[in-house]
Amino acid sequence: MPVAKGSTIDPDRTRAAILDAATPVLYERGLDGIGVAELCARLGISKETLYRHFGTKDGLVRAVLEARSDRVTRSLAEAVAAAGPEPADQLAAVFAVFQQTYDEPRFRGCAMLNAAAQHHVEPVRALTARHLDRYLDTLTGIAERAGAADPRLLGRQLLMLVEGATVVATHHGPADAGDHALRAALTLLAAAS
Amino acid sequence: MPVAKGSTIDPDRTRAAILDAATPVLYERGLDGIGVAELCARLGISKETLYRHFGTKDGLVRAVLEARSDRVTRSLAEAVAAAGPEPADQLAAVFAVFQQTYDEPRFRGCAMLNAAAQHHVEPVRALTARHLDRYLDTLTGIAERAGAADPRLLGRQLLMLVEGATVVATHHGPADAGDHALRAALTLLAAAS
DNA sequence: GCGAGATCGTACCGATCGGTTCGATCCGCG
DNA sequence: CGCGGATCGAACCGATCGGTACGATCTCGC
């Protein structure tokens, strides 16, 4: 997946193209599982180009993770918004989004969690924490709309189900992970109001 | 934490001592976050000794993870056994064990999940999968004793709560993670019979 | 006390790491 | 056309990687 070659020389566009192309490679190989040289070769760019745009391999990594977190968060919010006003439907939408990612042939677990487990530099861990906070916001919002007695508690429990479903899907097979987690989530929802 | 120096020259004992000493270092620094040279310096052994006992850095890693999985699984089984016959009490024991690890000052997430996220060699991922299977066995056993309509489903949902609690404790703070997960687990338990 | 084997410390190996530099090329703008 | 900046490709840097080799030292069993 080389960066488009004949494209107009436009720094912003080049940067975005590098980001897009680097994302799946870093995800599949692991942040430290591929060197800058091989990475650039795969992207079809020179090392100098990469370093001018991102300064550091870490800079690229952070940019990739930030973009990924933004994209996932946005798609989750859209799915919830499209699910209508019923909290149960919104939960179903959430887990459907996740099941979709579990079923991707190249699924290798949550990119943010993997990154935090690999890369021990603080800024990356902070990105992961922020990512979970975003999930928590979404889930707590559903809990509030459901009239839960303790929406923050329920939100955190739902977050546990989401993350647990991802872990189980990663290491124990993706089949029905989203559905099983959803059923548990609906049970919690029903019991919390 | 150097390996005991004046100890009798006993290969088996040396091997075990290396294993014990290497475990926390590899956990804190990450499997690939520390080189063999620095690792040996920390353990107070020479590289030749390490390579004679484990053949490869990967060999050491596998041995460390295997021992850790065995130890954790055993302590979990003991806690469940000591909790008496009530499934609810057994669940409480399970999450109490996990909360104890969350509260350790050096807690950095589940060692097996971290390993799988870092080290993409197949054998390590297999160890992680086996580790989750052991958890699943324990939890499914509790679900069966509770008379759940679908104990395998409930077992998997409990596994999601356990792993989700670990993830949340890792990235969102350990406070009450075990307790919140336990309350969710008890709700599922009550609804499943 | 002697030999076998475990261990140490250190030097060394080729490979790869992240990052820099430089000359050549190519493109868009004036 | 010509200039400036983006890009390339390749060489290069010091550091570190996992792993090996070797001579010296130590401890045990005989």
Side-chain angles (χ1 to χ4, degrees):
Chain A
M1 245 157 315
V3 173
K5 259 289 214 34
S7 70
T8 299
I9 288 189
D10 175 342
D12 290 352
R13 215 164 278 271
T14 303
R15 191 192 141 99
I18 294 176
L19 227 45
D20 281 352
T23 296
V25 178
L26 288 175
Y27 176 65
E28 289 174 25
R29 293 285 297 269
L31 302 183
D32 294 328
I34 187 170
V36 173
E38 185 185 352
L39 178 62
C40 287
R42 286 248 216 151
L43 304 186
I45 66 171
S46 68
K47 293 173 73 172
E48 180 168 355
T49 299
L50 188 152
Y51 278 102
R52 179 154 27 78
H53 282 290
F54 298 96
T56 285
K57 191 191 182 184
D58 251 47
L60 170 67
V61 165
R62 282 199 287 270
V64 163
L65 293 178
E66 239 170 298
R68 189 165 189 135
S69 173
D70 291 348
R71 188 169 50 78
V72 171
T73 300
R74 195 177 325 119
S75 85
L76 199 65
E78 288 169 3
V80 169
E86 276 299 321
D89 294 338
Q90 294 176 359
L91 275 185
V94 166
F95 286 100
V97 166
F98 280 102
Q99 183 67 53
Q100 208 171 321
T101 75
Y102 303 159
D103 288 330
E104 282 171 10
R106 295 215 160 2
F107 176 66
R108 281 184 31 84
C110 170
M112 306 301 296
L113 296 187
N114 289 349
Q118 296 162 22
H119 223 68
H120 342 82
V121 297
E122 236 305 293
V124 167
R125 306 184 70 87
L127 283 180
T128 301
R130 196 186 65 173
H131 189 67
L132 288 202
D133 275 338
R134 290 169 163 181
Y135 283 174
L136 186 57
D137 283 346
T138 298
L139 296 168
T140 303
I142 295 177
E144 285 169 352
R145 287 189 290 278
D150 188 343
R152 292 185 52 211
L153 169 65
L154 179 57
R156 202 168 186 234
Q157 291 170 328
L158 292 175
L159 178 61
M160 290 177 184
L161 278 175
V162 165
E163 296 300 325
T166 300
V167 169
V168 169
T170 305
H171 299 287
H172 200 260
D176 299 319
D179 179 59
H180 292 172
L182 170 61
R183 288 204 246 168
L186 292 178
T187 300
L188 295 187
L189 191 74
S193 45
Chain B
M1 251 156 307
V3 172
K5 257 289 212 37
S7 71
T8 298
I9 289 189
D10 176 341
D12 290 352
R13 215 163 278 271
T14 302
R15 191 191 141 100
I18 295 176
L19 226 45
D20 280 353
T23 296
V25 178
L26 287 175
Y27 176 66
E28 287 172 28
R29 294 284 297 270
L31 301 183
D32 295 328
I34 187 171
V36 173
E38 186 185 352
L39 178 61
C40 287
R42 286 247 215 153
L43 305 186
I45 65 171
S46 68
K47 293 174 73 174
E48 182 170 352
T49 299
L50 188 152
Y51 279 102
R52 182 154 24 80
H53 281 292
F54 300 97
T56 285
K57 190 190 184 185
D58 250 47
L60 171 67
V61 165
R62 280 200 289 271
V64 164
L65 294 178
E66 238 171 298
R68 188 165 192 135
S69 172
D70 290 350
R71 188 170 52 76
V72 172
T73 300
R74 196 177 325 119
S75 85
L76 199 66
E78 287 170 4
V80 170
E86 275 300 320
D89 294 337
Q90 294 175 359
L91 274 185
V94 166
F95 286 100
V97 166
F98 279 102
Q99 183 66 54
Q100 208 171 322
T101 75
Y102 303 159
D103 288 330
E104 281 171 11
R106 297 218 160 359
F107 177 65
R108 282 185 30 84
C110 170
M112 306 299 298
L113 295 187
N114 289 349
Q118 295 163 20
H119 222 68
H120 342 81
V121 297
E122 236 305 294
V124 167
R125 306 184 71 86
L127 282 180
T128 302
R130 197 187 64 172
H131 189 66
L132 288 203
D133 274 339
R134 290 169 162 179
Y135 283 174
L136 186 57
D137 283 347
T138 297
L139 296 168
T140 303
I142 295 177
E144 284 169 352
R145 286 190 291 278
D150 188 343
R152 292 185 53 210
L153 168 64
L154 180 56
R156 204 171 184 230
Q157 290 170 328
L158 292 175
L159 178 62
M160 289 177 183
L161 278 175
V162 165
E163 295 301 325
T166 300
V167 169
V168 169
T170 305
H171 300 287
H172 200 261
D176 299 319
D179 179 59
H180 292 173
L182 170 61
R183 288 203 247 169
L186 292 178
T187 300
L188 294 187
L189 191 75
S193 46

